[in-house]
Amino acid sequence: MSTRLSPADDFPDDLTALDLPDVEVLNSRIHRELDYEYEHDGEPSMETEIRHEEVTEELDRREQQPESAPLRPEIVGSAHRTS
């Protein structure tokens, strides 16, 4: 598996069906693709820009949900513990 998500690679139809870690991985792969396209083409492809927007909107939506899980629950949980 590539660390980037090229415009030719499959993209999920429904991001809401993915678990948060899967959306975060997708986001990371899209960011790597954006960096690659800027470096090699001077600008991102329209498909990559659209995918970036969709993933960003999904992450923002999840962040607004009160039941949304933290990105690293083990860190958040340990910060609330007292010795």
Side-chain angles (χ1 to χ4, degrees):
M1 173 169 81
S2 173
T3 61
R4 296 182 289 114
L5 186 71
S6 78
D9 293 334
D10 289 336
F11 187 77
D13 291 328
D14 182 11
L15 295 176
T16 64
L18 299 177
D19 290 331
L20 180 59
D22 294 329
V23 178
E24 290 171 334
V25 168
L26 196 57
N27 183 51
S28 179
R29 292 181 68 203
I30 290 170
H31 276 273
R32 287 187 182 104
E33 180 63 23
L34 283 169
D35 291 344
Y36 176 85
E37 290 175 6
Y38 275 116
E39 185 177 324
H40 289 86
D41 303 329
E43 64 183 7
S45 74
M46 181 63 75
E47 183 65 24
T48 302
E49 285 183 325
I50 290 169
R51 290 174 172 190
H52 178 250
E53 195 171 303
E54 287 180 25
V55 169
T56 299
E57 287 175 3
E58 178 60 20
L59 288 170
D60 288 347
R61 183 190 69 77
R62 290 177 186 222
E63 188 175 278
Q64 297 303 314
Q65 291 177 336
E67 68 275 3
S68 180
L71 299 180
R72 305 266 323 259
E74 69 279 6
I75 293 174
V76 173
S78 65
H80 293 287
R81 293 185 197 126
T82 57
S83 353

